Amino acid sequence: MRALYWNGVNDLRVGTVKDPEIVNPHDAILRVSLSTTCGSDLHFIDGYIPTMQAGDVIGHEFMGVIEEVGPAVKRVAKGDRVVVPSFIVCGQCWYCQQSLYSLCDNTHPKPELQEPMLGGYPTAGIYGYTHAFGGYAGAHAQYVRVPFADNDCFKVPDGVEDETALFLSDAAPTGYMGADFCNIRPGDTVAVWGCGGVGLMAQQSARLMGAERVIAIDRFPERLQMAREHAGAETIDYTQVDSVLDALKEMTGGRGPDACIDAVGMEAHGTGPQYAYDRVKQALRLETDRGQALREAIMACRKGGTLSVLGVYGLIDKFPMGAIMNKGMTVRSAQQHGQAYMDRLLAHAQRGELNPAYLATHRFSLEDGPRGYDMFKHKKDGCVRAVFAP
Ligand SMILES: [Zn+2]
Ligand SMILES: [Zn+2]
């Protein structure tokens, strides 16, 4: 089959690779209809997250049609149109029983690779996302193996288009979970750093959960426009204000947002001396992550408010723990527990309350994968997400 694979740092290629096969009785093979880029892919493409191997097929956001199932698969069958959350979960372990799906204990075949960073408690495995996250083949391909198909394949109801379902694999559940973490009450103001796919989905989800005001922070006019249009957000272009903190204070009568969501992560851009400091330290590999958005979210949040962290991080320094402690903040964070939200998200999509298809700003054939990633990475032509059809 044809697939998009990592060949080395900043070197993606399309080539012919071995077809996936049923390995365990609970596996399914999915014929991929659509897959899409994710900001978190950029971290291993450019070498910030190691443990990639040449030839690894990438891609963890996808949907398609089931081609074949193993003998133990009961809930889905050949021909079903399904969406698959990015994290692979067993559905049986203690974590899965608590609906903490991205922490599943049974789907990471190489947990020792995460030990230095996570203290020996591995995350679940994920498709196409380094050997440190399980080494599973990704979905920018004609076919992909889906382990634990009964837990991980969700049938897409009639009336929900492929392009909508596609984003229910990651951007939508991640954003939705981030808003859910905020325990939004009527009248709340939620500020969201980042207007990429996850940020926009967090903004829309905050609205669905009853936030009175959503304030979106980014620097790209076309993304801020999407936030206004699709999430009814007020917006801050951080390159146009002296201080995001002051702008938020002014917009909230001096109290600050009730909840702050970081949908940016480790490669945050920013302005000012703190950003320059982070850039230098990161370049010297003394600090892996630039944490401008995260620090700002902590400082901007009202007393007793909630910080919800969706951005991906490794190590970060100058972390303002004193602000979290003294302001009595609640911090919630996770990789997406998509399986916990999928029924709700599919219902929202079917009712037209959540339609993430607008994130698909650019479409490519799989053969054009490297060009798609290049446009996505450099946000060329207003690219929010590049979508591939094999
Ligand atoms: Zn993703
Ligand atoms: Zn599990």
Side-chain angles (χ1 to χ4, degrees):
M1 67 166 181
R2 302 292 284 172
L4 175 63
Y5 63 88
W6 188 91
N7 192 56
V9 170
N10 290 319
D11 179 7
L12 296 179
R13 304 213 179 160
V14 178
T16 300
V17 304
K18 203 170 158 291
D19 287 358
E21 291 171 352
I22 300 278
V23 176
N24 292 310
H26 42 66
D27 288 352
I29 302 297
L30 192 78
R31 178 156 45 82
V32 178
S33 303
L34 295 174
S35 64
T36 184
T37 54
C38 176
S40 65
D41 295 332
L42 303 176
H43 309 321
F44 65 75
I45 291 173
D46 66 14
Y48 277 117
I49 300 183
T51 73
M52 286 298 283
Q53 292 171 12
D56 285 346
V57 177
I58 68 169
H60 62 265
E61 304 195 14
F62 60 102
M63 58 80 57
V65 176
I66 293 182
E67 181 77 12
E68 186 185 353
V69 294
V73 175
K74 301 280 181 265
R75 285 182 48 239
V76 290
K78 180 177 164 73
D80 284 347
R81 187 169 69 110
V82 299
V83 57
V84 180
S86 308
F87 279 85
I88 301 164
V89 314
C90 80
Q92 305 288 323
C93 72
W94 188 87
Y95 289 97
C96 284
Q97 283 171 10
Q98 315 299 312
S99 298
L100 299 170
Y101 290 106
S102 66
L103 305 177
C104 173
D105 247 346
N106 283 331
T107 59
H108 197 316
K110 304 165 189 170
E112 66 280 3
L113 291 177
Q114 287 189 341
E115 196 162 334
M117 201 171 107
L118 303 183
Y121 304 105
T123 65
I126 183 171
Y127 301 91
Y129 201 85
T130 77
H131 290 264
F133 283 87
Y136 289 91
H140 293 325
Q142 290 178 291
Y143 298 94
V144 62
R145 177 172 80 95
V146 178
F148 300 107
D150 278 343
N151 300 300
D152 293 358
C153 292
F154 290 80
K155 284 185 211 173
V156 179
D158 290 342
V160 176
E161 303 287 332
D162 282 3
E163 257 182 26
T164 296
L166 168 63
F167 294 106
L168 267 47
S169 61
D170 191 355
T174 303
Y176 197 82
M177 179 188 73
D180 188 39
F181 282 169
C182 297
N183 284 324
I184 293 167
R185 292 178 300 185
D188 275 1
T189 297
V190 179
V192 181
W193 276 254
C195 293
V198 170
L200 288 163
M201 287 298 107
Q203 294 159 24
Q204 274 192 288
S205 301
R207 276 261 180 238
L208 282 172
M209 292 175 198
E212 187 172 307
R213 295 173 72 194
V214 171
I215 301 173
I217 300 142
D218 204 297
R219 67 184 159 132
F220 293 100
E222 64 277 8
R223 292 185 176 206
L224 292 167
Q225 176 58 31
M226 283 182 173
R228 287 190 289 270
E229 203 176 306
H230 296 282
E234 299 158 65
T235 56
I236 297 174
D237 176 344
Y238 67 77
T239 63
Q240 301 298 314
V241 296
D242 290 335
S243 155
V244 171
L245 198 62
D246 290 346
L248 283 169
K249 260 186 204 157
E250 200 176 304
M251 291 167 87
T252 56
R255 193 164 77 158
D258 300 287
C260 292
I261 300 176
D262 168 9
V264 176
M266 62 164 79
E267 294 189 56
H269 287 263
T271 54
Q274 186 61 54
Y275 176 65
Y277 168 89
D278 282 344
R279 272 306 262 164
V280 170
K281 282 203 81 172
Q282 194 176 41
L284 295 171
R285 293 292 193 269
L286 296 171
E287 173 189 43
T288 62
D289 306 347
R290 307 197 292 267
Q292 176 108 344
L294 180 60
R295 292 189 196 99
E296 208 165 65
I298 293 168
M299 299 313 283
C301 195
R302 76 155 161 83
K303 293 185 282 185
T306 301
L307 170 71
S308 169
V309 183
L310 303 175
V312 174
Y313 289 96
L315 295 170
I316 182 167
D317 70 9
K318 297 212 166 185
F319 184 79
M321 192 61 215
I324 290 174
M325 189 272 157
N326 285 296
K327 288 203 289 179
M329 291 171 62
T330 299
V331 181
R332 299 283 312 269
S333 187
Q335 298 271 15
Q336 63 138 326
H337 302 309
Q339 284 81 352
Y341 296 102
M342 204 52 68
D343 291 344
R344 266 182 275 173
L345 286 167
L346 285 165
H348 280 309
Q350 203 172 16
R351 291 196 294 264
E353 295 159 353
L354 189 77
N355 185 1
Y358 70 90
L359 300 177
T361 52
H362 293 71
R363 296 171 185 82
F364 299 88
S365 78
L366 182 63
E367 300 295 320
D368 259 346
R371 195 162 67 87
Y373 265 95
D374 182 62
M375 288 201 74
F376 171 66
K377 177 177 179 176
H378 299 289
K379 302 181 177 72
K380 285 181 193 165
D381 188 35
C383 183
V384 175
R385 287 296 184 94
V387 170
F388 305 121

